[in-house]
Amino acid sequence: MASLITAKAIMMSHHHVLSSTRITTLCSDKANDNQQRKTKLRISHRFFSRRTISAAVINSASPVPKKETVEDERRCHVAWTSVQQEKWEGELTVQGKIPTWLNGTYLRNGPGLWNIGDHDFRHLFDGYSTLVKLEFDDGRIFSGHRLLESEAYKAAKKHKKLCYREFSETPKPLRNNFKNPFSGVREIVKLFSGESLTDNANTGVICLGDGRVMCLTETQKGSILVDHDTLETIGKFKYDDGLCDHMIHSAHPIVTETEMWTLIPDLVKPGYRVVRMEAGSNKREVVGRVKCRSGSWGPGWVHSFAVTENYVLIPEMPLRYSVRNLLRAEPTPLYKFEWCPNDGAFVHVMSKHTGEIVASVEVPAYVTFHFINAYEEDETGDGKATVIIADCCEHNADTRILDMLRLHTLRSSHGDDVLPDARIGRFRIPLDGSKYGKLETAVEAEKHGRAMDMCSINPLYLGLKYRYVYACGAKRPCNFPNALTKVDIVEKKVKIWHEHGIIPSEPFFVPRPGATHEDDGVVISIVSEENGGSYAILLDGSSFEEIARAKFPYGLPYGLHGCWIPKH
């Protein structure tokens, strides 16, 4: 359905800007100083009513950013273009009706700036973190975005070049280093001490049980606190436990009101530490350790994992960390990993209470970014769990998905049917000491377009038997998931929401307070349009039909993961 919405922050003409917006353009410090001398504008806005707003910088000639272009002067989809200003805020005009109970803030994190100076990044995961906010207040939406002030971003902005190792990018060595025989050794030391690793927390954003909001990536130093009202960067989250020497962790911890669970891969003695941190604390406690079963040097990649009521599931994929690839100046198609299918694929199960390994099974080879959920089942009726069911977005053990996320591929193959197939992979892990588990397809993949990722569930069903998955699926042909899906894994049914030319981000489910049905709530997503625009969409969690949308006054790039912060 074509959108009829305009935002209060949109430019009315080249010479008139509504006062409900504040835009700061991406420019040098010197340019900023010159522009501030020319334009002093003090704005008051409900969106920041809790704080005093300082003088804004507005490029009066073009307050709404221009769309980027790619090679051969062709325009690419706005989903793969950088934000054109460092921050923006304003109220969006709503088409439709927002439920009266929906009061709180949806935050989305993801890469939003893919170039610095004259350097263009090569991979989706390289971009500098950009937070987007949707504040729902009595039927109104106040929105904004802001680049995260990580050390990596600040250094790049200051020096106009890449200064830290990103997912696929390595800073170019100084010219003098080519003549220094010890420069290679120095780079190895900087890598394994974590000094050269990025803190660009561009993957997820979580709300801890004590209310602190933290952006995350796979490096531990990339744990950064933010103010969810203003989107300002507060500073590094300082872990108080001596576990940061392992440098990396899962980008997707499991967070509840009382605790946080995460995995810390060990690159020296291949394995994983399972750690828990209480709400209000900065200290992680090691619950137990899992030793890798494969003969490979590196542990399997653990971007995410799953928990049940009593257990933590630790995946050991054949896609493994590779020191050799980490040290390369130019990436391989698998970047910092290597594919080792002959070494086997495994899933380990650890007791939350004792740290004991209660199951360690070999399973068919798999590739997954994101686990969906897991739960325990009693098949004998004696009140004791006999099997664990764990679902994930599984890419048919096809590692091509990593290289398909190169920006050049995303920008140049729009409309081509080149997206590798994916499914809901269901692990069946026996707790009777069996050596092997099963990996099957939970729902026929054709029903959701053979695409499945960026998933969410009703958070009240975390670790419990559940029925519904909300995720990004596909309407083929496509080179990237281009539809939102609701999957009923019990009835094996799928509902799809799609509009031509869109790239939607993760559909995030917010349950209605007091609801008794699992799918009673709303689904929030931010959509990038082929025509250069963007809008927030709200779908009914049950019918999966649109109930409201609100258009941004500019195009937003694709984002990754979000969280919900209820209004108290």
Side-chain angles (χ1 to χ4, degrees):
M1 182 176 70
S3 174
L4 302 176
I5 303 303
T6 58
K8 290 186 179 180
I10 198 166
M11 185 176 75
M12 301 297 292
S13 73
H14 288 294
H15 303 289
H16 296 86
V17 182
L18 289 180
S19 62
S20 61
T21 188
R22 178 167 70 114
I23 294 177
T24 301
T25 57
L26 282 173
C27 55
S28 67
D29 292 339
K30 182 177 180 181
N32 251 330
D33 292 339
N34 291 338
Q35 187 66 30
Q36 286 178 351
R37 281 193 292 269
K38 294 178 181 178
T39 307
K40 295 287 184 179
L41 178 62
R42 189 167 298 276
I43 300 173
S44 176
H45 193 277
R46 157 66 181 78
F47 181 75
F48 277 79
S49 61
R50 288 180 282 269
R51 294 182 180 232
T52 301
I53 297 179
S54 59
V57 180
I58 295 183
N59 182 346
S60 58
S62 182
V64 178
K66 297 178 180 179
K67 302 169 191 172
E68 282 191 358
T69 58
V70 290
E71 294 139 354
D72 303 323
E73 300 298 323
R74 295 186 298 111
R75 294 189 184 277
C76 67
H77 198 290
V78 72
W80 319 124
T81 64
S82 296
V83 290
Q84 294 297 288
Q85 72 267 51
E86 203 165 52
K87 53 189 174 182
W88 175 86
E89 67 228 21
E91 182 176 1
L92 306 183
T93 300
V94 176
Q95 175 185 351
K97 187 175 181 180
I98 296 173
T100 56
W101 58 263
L102 189 66
N103 288 291
T105 300
Y106 169 70
L107 292 181
R108 189 195 75 175
N109 193 9
L113 181 65
W114 288 291
N115 59 279
I116 198 74
D118 59 356
H119 181 76
D120 294 319
F121 292 164
R122 62 166 62 87
H123 198 278
L124 172 65
F125 297 160
D126 290 326
Y128 291 115
S129 169
T130 304
L131 279 169
V132 180
K133 166 179 174 170
L134 297 173
E135 180 185 352
F136 296 86
D137 189 354
D138 294 328
R140 302 167 71 186
I141 299 179
F142 302 94
S143 185
H145 84 257
R146 191 171 190 140
L147 279 154
L148 185 73
E149 293 281 333
S150 63
E151 294 301 320
Y153 171 63
K154 290 190 293 185
K157 186 167 64 168
K158 178 180 178 180
H159 299 290
K160 300 294 185 292
K161 66 177 183 179
L162 186 74
C163 298
Y164 290 86
R165 287 176 174 263
E166 300 296 341
F167 180 81
S168 79
E169 300 279 351
T170 302
K172 293 181 180 179
L174 298 174
R175 188 177 301 275
N176 292 339
N177 282 353
F178 291 111
K179 301 177 181 179
N180 186 345
F182 298 105
S183 61
V185 175
R186 186 181 298 114
E187 287 302 313
I188 293 174
V189 171
K190 288 173 67 177
L191 172 61
F192 284 95
S193 68
E195 180 184 348
S196 64
L197 296 180
T198 188
D199 67 339
N200 174 25
N202 66 359
T203 306
V205 56
I206 59 174
C207 183
L208 298 173
D210 59 8
R212 289 180 293 178
V213 177
M214 178 163 58
C215 295
L216 292 165
T217 187
E218 291 188 354
T219 62
Q220 292 198 42
K221 66 193 289 188
S223 303
I224 300 178
L225 295 170
V226 296
D227 184 318
H228 76 272
D229 284 326
T230 66
L231 304 184
E232 291 177 349
T233 302
I234 296 173
K236 293 287 180 68
F237 185 94
K238 297 180 180 179
Y239 295 104
D240 184 24
D241 49 35
L243 295 174
C244 290
D245 57 332
H246 290 275
M247 300 183 295
I248 56 177
H249 58 182
S250 170
H252 291 283
I254 305 292
V255 181
T256 70
E257 292 182 354
T258 59
E259 61 189 5
M260 182 185 89
W261 291 86
T262 194
L263 303 183
I264 301 178
D266 189 336
L267 299 181
V268 177
K269 298 178 180 179
Y272 312 91
R273 288 181 178 178
V274 178
V275 301
R276 173 183 176 273
M277 185 175 75
E278 291 186 358
S281 173
N282 285 34
K283 184 176 182 180
R284 298 164 296 182
E285 297 179 350
V286 178
V287 175
R289 188 183 186 279
V290 179
K291 182 180 179 181
C292 287
R293 287 182 54 182
S294 76
S296 296
W297 184 91
W301 183 30
V302 282
H303 186 70
S304 70
F305 63 103
V307 299
T308 68
E309 286 186 279
N310 298 295
Y311 302 105
V312 179
L313 277 70
I314 303 100
E316 185 183 342
M317 279 197 295
L319 188 63
R320 300 183 177 276
Y321 291 98
S322 168
V323 172
R324 177 177 55 191
N325 288 346
L326 277 169
L327 293 173
R328 291 179 185 269
E330 292 296 321
T332 70
L334 292 182
Y335 302 93
K336 55 189 175 185
F337 312 109
E338 59 183 345
W339 181 239
C340 307
N342 294 332
D343 289 341
F346 308 92
V347 178
H348 313 280
V349 181
M350 178 183 289
S351 168
K352 286 181 173 180
H353 312 292
T354 67
E356 176 189 2
I357 305 299
V358 300
S360 180
V361 298
E362 186 170 0
V363 295
Y366 61 100
V367 171
T368 182
F369 293 85
H370 302 114
F371 274 79
I372 300 169
N373 198 20
Y375 59 91
E376 304 159 22
E377 278 207 327
D378 171 16
E379 295 183 326
T380 61
D382 63 1
K384 185 179 180 180
T386 58
V387 66
I388 289 178
I389 305 298
D391 296 333
C392 68
C393 303
E394 204 278 309
H395 296 273
N396 294 309
D398 187 349
T399 61
R400 289 182 303 147
I401 186 62
L402 274 172
D403 211 38
M404 287 300 298
L405 300 180
R406 283 179 179 258
L407 289 168
H408 174 75
T409 302
L410 295 172
R411 290 167 174 168
S412 62
S413 60
H414 183 62
D416 298 335
D417 199 18
V418 295
L419 177 66
D421 290 357
R423 60 176 176 164
I424 296 179
R426 168 158 287 192
F427 291 101
R428 187 178 183 83
I429 306 163
L431 299 178
D432 61 1
S434 299
K435 293 182 179 179
Y436 300 99
K438 294 181 179 179
L439 173 59
E440 301 169 334
T441 300
V443 177
E444 183 184 347
E446 283 290 347
K447 293 182 178 181
H448 50 73
R450 306 190 317 278
M452 178 58 49
D453 218 324
M454 312 307 286
C455 50
S456 75
I457 63 168
N458 185 327
L460 299 177
Y461 288 76
L462 174 68
L464 303 175
K465 193 167 185 177
Y466 73 115
R467 180 171 179 173
Y468 300 109
V469 180
Y470 300 93
C472 291
K475 281 284 191 179
R476 302 278 179 162
C478 60
N479 70 338
F480 196 83
N482 61 356
L484 300 177
T485 63
K486 176 189 179 183
V487 182
D488 182 336
I489 56 176
V490 174
E491 296 291 335
K492 314 295 184 184
K493 297 179 179 178
V494 178
K495 294 180 179 180
I496 294 179
W497 181 89
H498 170 77
E499 291 184 347
H500 177 74
I502 65 166
I503 300 291
S505 62
E506 172 190 70
F508 192 90
F509 181 83
V510 181
R512 182 180 64 82
T516 57
H517 296 285
E518 182 181 340
D519 59 351
D520 187 353
V522 300
V523 175
I524 303 171
S525 180
I526 296 175
V527 178
S528 301
E529 298 179 279
E530 190 175 40
N531 65 8
S534 293
Y535 57 90
I537 189 77
L538 271 69
L539 305 177
D540 181 272
S542 177
S543 68
F544 215 54
E545 295 179 354
E546 178 180 335
I547 56 177
R549 70 170 63 190
K551 191 171 181 62
F552 289 87
Y554 57 96
L556 274 172
Y558 177 74
L560 297 176
H561 303 286
C563 72
W564 174 255
I565 305 169
K567 183 178 181 181
H568 296 294

